[in-house]
């Protein structure tokens, strides 16, 4: 027992020392704010997990150079009552791979033709999101997975692809698209017309190989950009999707984006109207999919069979920033006349432009019926809030609050897991090539 515990601690510290030796960074709280810089952060504090107090030591180095970025998340949590390392953090070989928070090249939907990301997939999306929209492979903290995204746009066409778990075959998805008029005519609008096809499958929703519960969804889409400049874009699109052995759905929408000169502001919006047959769920692979795929009471299969009539619905997304002081993203979807069908996704971030403060919040909610439901934290909610105050350039006090889920082995159902971790963190910064 003691030898095993010492081995765990030694292995993790070895990763920490390797990271400190090779990571180069400049102070930043979040990966999407890093550009030719990064941060080595380490801290100690007291946290509460499922009502049990833990002494916490962690190291979270992040770095970015050019279009590359990498982040680690290495935690040692000691139960103050038993004196033992929290077993759920390091009881499998796969847990050591989870210490890699992410490795990425570029960002999704950037002008760059290539994008890839290894590790946590917080918001995986394919196409316009009619089949997969903001899927999260780290919703269940102790079962968070190492996934992969890889996209390539070669001009006349391209593809998007993802898998949620490199440690076990589960979800695979991809979309291919083609711009058939790009070489045929020289017209600014029509030569960007694109058609696409998407396929996503979960080969083992109940995580038991002995059952045949595979679910597959395929779809087709078309998109016509009306405006496409460096400052503004406007596109019309349509989607059609079918759940194999179940129903199908259609959607039509508009996507708009506007950027201010010199980055003074940015605003974007997507509005979509949906027309759904019986036994069809739009955005089937969404933020709560990891929780819903094998839920004992309200799993996806049960949700499909509950939809026995045609419905219509609306989906909307709004995002943007002003003077780069706060970035906001919000989505909401709902079926017409269907109680508790509302779903909300919100992200907010305060970048380094605000002196001494760094913060980020993510919130997902489902089964929304009335406006007051949005403010109820329960089994239909998932949240993470991080707030940091820079006492000195190298010393940060921050609090991390997580509302996620864990599997109750006795009942085989998912329970809410609350984690609150206040910490003092040291931040050492280094330039990484590029602009100093």
């Amino acid at each position: 027992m003691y030898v095993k515990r010492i081995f765990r601690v030694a292995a993790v510290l070895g990763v920490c020392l390797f990271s400190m030796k090779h990571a180069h960074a400049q102070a930043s709280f979040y990966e999407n704010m890093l550009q030719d810089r990064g941060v080595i952060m380490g801290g100690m504090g007291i946290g509460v997990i499922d009502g049990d107090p833990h002494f916490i030591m962690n190291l979270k180095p992040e770095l970015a150079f050019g279009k590359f970025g990498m982040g680690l998340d290495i935690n040692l949590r000691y139960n103050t009552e038993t004196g033992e390392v929290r077993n759920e953090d390091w009881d499998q070989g796969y847990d050591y791979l989870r210490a890699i928070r992410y490795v990425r090249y570029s960002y999704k939907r950037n002008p760059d033709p290539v994008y890839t990301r290894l590790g946590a997939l917080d918001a995986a999306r394919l196409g316009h999101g009619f089949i997969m929209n903001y899927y999260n492979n780290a919703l269940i903290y102790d079962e968070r997975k190492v996934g992969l995204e890889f996209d390539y746009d070669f001009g006349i066409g391209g593809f998007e692809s993802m898998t949620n778990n490199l440690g076990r075959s589960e979800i695979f998805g991809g979309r291919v698209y083609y711009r058939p008029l790009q070489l045929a005519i020289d017209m600014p609008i029509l030569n960007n017309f694109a058609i696409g096809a998407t396929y996503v499958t979960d080969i083992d929703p109940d995580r038991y190989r002995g059952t045949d519960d595979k679910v597959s969804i395929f779809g087709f889409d078309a998109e016509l950009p009306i405006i496409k400049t460096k400052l503004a874009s406007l596109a019309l699109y349509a989607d059609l999707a079918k759940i194999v052995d179940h129903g199908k759905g259609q959607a039509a929408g508009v996507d708009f984006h506007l950027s201010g000169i010199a980055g003074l502001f940015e605003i974007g919006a997507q509005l979509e109207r949906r027309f759904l047959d019986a036994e069809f769920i739009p955005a089937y692979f969404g933020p709560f999919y990891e929780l819903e795929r094998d839920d004992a009471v309200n799993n996806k299969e049960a949700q499909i069979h509950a939809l026995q009539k045609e419905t219509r619905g609306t989906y909307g997304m709004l995002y943007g920033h002003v003077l780069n002081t706060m970035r906001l993203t919000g989505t909401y979807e709902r079926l017409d006349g269907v109680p508790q069908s509302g779903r909300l996704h919100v992200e907010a971030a305060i970048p380094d432009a605000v002196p001494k403060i760094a913060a980020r919040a993510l919130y997902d909610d489902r089964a929304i019926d009335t406006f007051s439901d949005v403010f109820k934290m329960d089994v239909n909610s998932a949240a993470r809030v991080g707030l940091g105050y820079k006492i000195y350039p190298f010393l940060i006090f921050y609090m991390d609050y997580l509302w996620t889920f864990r599997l109750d082995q006795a009942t085989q159902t998912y329970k809410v897991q609350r984690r609150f971790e206040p910490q003092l963190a040291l931040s050492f910064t280094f330039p990484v090539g590029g602009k100093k």
Side-chain angles (χ1 to χ4, degrees), residues 179-194:
R179 301 181 180 98
L181 303 179
Q182 193 167 88
L183 298 180
I185 57 177
D186 185 18
M187 295 183 65
I189 294 178
L190 293 180
N191 62 6
N192 286 315
F193 172 73

Side-chain angles (χ1 to χ4, degrees), residues 68-108:
F68 289 92
M70 180 179 181
L72 303 180
D73 186 3
I74 303 163
N75 290 282
L76 288 176
R77 297 182 175 92
Y78 291 91
N79 190 307
T80 59
E81 296 180 354
T82 65
E84 296 182 351
V85 175
R86 186 170 183 266
N87 187 63
E88 292 88 340
D89 290 343
W90 305 101
D91 60 349
Q92 303 177 43
Y94 194 55
D95 290 326
Y96 296 88
L97 186 59
R98 287 184 182 131
I100 302 174
R101 166 68 180 159
Y102 68 89
V103 178
R104 63 156 181 83
Y105 177 82
S106 191
Y107 294 101
K108 192 173 180 73

Side-chain angles (χ1 to χ4, degrees), residues 191-207:
N191 62 6
N192 286 315
F193 172 73
I195 55 176
T198 301
Y199 180 80
V200 184
T201 184
D202 184 350
I203 64 176
D204 191 22
D206 67 358
R207 311 169 207 260

Side-chain angles (χ1 to χ4, degrees), residues 284-429:
Y284 188 94
F285 299 91
F288 283 94
Y289 183 74
E290 283 297 317
L291 190 66
E292 296 172 326
R293 61 192 299 206
D294 63 346
D295 188 284
V297 178
N298 190 32
N299 57 47
K300 280 293 188 180
E301 189 69 19
Q303 293 178 28
I304 288 177
H305 289 295
L307 298 172
Q308 291 302 316
K309 63 178 183 180
E310 293 184 358
T311 58
R312 296 186 178 187
T314 302
Y315 168 82
M317 176 171 65
L318 185 66
Y319 62 91
H321 74 83
V322 177
L323 298 177
N324 204 32
T325 56
M326 177 178 288
R327 294 180 174 272
L328 293 172
T329 300
T331 71
Y332 184 73
E333 59 185 288
R334 188 179 184 90
L335 300 177
D336 296 352
V338 179
Q340 297 184 328
S341 62
R343 290 182 174 240
L344 176 73
H345 172 81
V346 179
E347 298 181 34
I350 300 175
D352 289 345
V354 179
K356 293 186 178 264
I357 298 293
R360 186 182 183 188
L362 297 95
Y363 180 66
D364 286 288
D365 201 7
R366 59 178 178 168
I368 298 172
D369 197 23
T370 64
F371 184 70
S372 61
D373 292 336
V374 174
F375 302 98
K376 295 178 182 177
M377 294 290 289
D378 52 24
V379 294
N380 294 312
S381 309
R384 180 166 191 169
V385 179
L387 178 63
Y389 177 74
K390 300 171 185 175
I391 302 172
Y392 296 105
F394 59 88
L395 184 63
I396 299 173
F397 173 73
Y398 76 95
M399 296 178 290
D400 208 8
Y401 178 78
L402 292 92
W403 183 289
T404 56
F405 301 89
R406 65 176 177 82
L407 179 64
D408 188 318
Q409 297 293 342
T411 62
Q412 287 299 298
T413 59
Y414 287 100
K415 306 291 186 181
V416 170
Q417 181 184 74
R418 303 173 184 85
R419 294 172 52 219
F420 178 65
E421 300 178 354
Q423 299 186 44
L424 277 175
L426 294 175
S427 174
F428 298 98
T429 65

Side-chain angles (χ1 to χ4, degrees), residues 68-280:
F68 289 92
M70 180 179 181
L72 303 180
D73 186 3
I74 303 163
N75 290 282
L76 288 176
R77 297 182 175 92
Y78 291 91
N79 190 307
T80 59
E81 296 180 354
T82 65
E84 296 182 351
V85 175
R86 186 170 183 266
N87 187 63
E88 292 88 340
D89 290 343
W90 305 101
D91 60 349
Q92 303 177 43
Y94 194 55
D95 290 326
Y96 296 88
L97 186 59
R98 287 184 182 131
I100 302 174
R101 166 68 180 159
Y102 68 89
V103 178
R104 63 156 181 83
Y105 177 82
S106 191
Y107 294 101
K108 192 173 180 73
R109 303 187 190 283
N110 260 17
D112 301 312
V114 179
Y115 159 76
T116 188
R117 180 183 177 99
L118 171 73
L121 308 182
D122 298 320
R125 196 169 192 249
L126 293 174
H128 307 116
F130 196 50
I131 296 176
M132 174 174 286
N133 196 38
Y134 288 102
Y135 163 78
N136 181 0
N137 72 346
L139 177 65
I140 304 167
Y141 182 78
D142 292 325
E143 298 178 22
R144 61 197 188 282
K145 298 161 184 176
V146 178
L148 178 66
E149 290 180 299
F150 180 56
D151 302 349
Y152 182 45
D153 185 337
F154 47 86
I156 197 171
F159 65 85
E160 304 171 76
S161 63
M162 66 79 62
T163 181
N164 74 319
N165 190 354
L166 296 179
R168 185 176 186 270
S169 296
E170 293 181 353
I171 301 173
F172 298 90
R175 173 179 178 258
V176 295
Y177 53 91
Y178 177 58
R179 301 181 180 98
L181 303 179
Q182 193 167 88
L183 298 180
I185 57 177
D186 185 18
M187 295 183 65
I189 294 178
L190 293 180
N191 62 6
N192 286 315
F193 172 73
I195 55 176
T198 301
Y199 180 80
V200 184
T201 184
D202 184 350
I203 64 176
D204 191 22
D206 67 358
R207 311 169 207 260
Y208 176 57
R209 297 298 195 202
T211 58
D212 183 14
D213 58 342
K214 175 182 176 181
V215 60
S216 300
I217 307 177
F218 64 89
F220 304 95
D221 65 85
E223 179 177 289
L224 178 62
I226 305 299
I227 302 173
K228 191 172 183 180
T229 69
K230 291 182 178 180
L231 297 180
S233 64
L234 176 67
L236 305 177
Y237 67 88
D239 279 86
L240 168 67
K242 163 76 173 175
I243 302 176
V244 175
D245 297 328
H246 295 288
K248 66 180 184 298
Q250 302 88 36
V254 58
D255 198 333
F256 170 75
H257 181 264
L258 178 65
S259 297
I261 298 175
L264 293 177
F265 69 90
E266 177 187 23
I267 186 170
Q270 180 183 351
L271 184 62
E272 178 179 290
R273 188 63 176 159
R274 294 168 169 176
F275 308 88
L276 315 174
D277 289 353
E279 297 194 356
F280 181 83

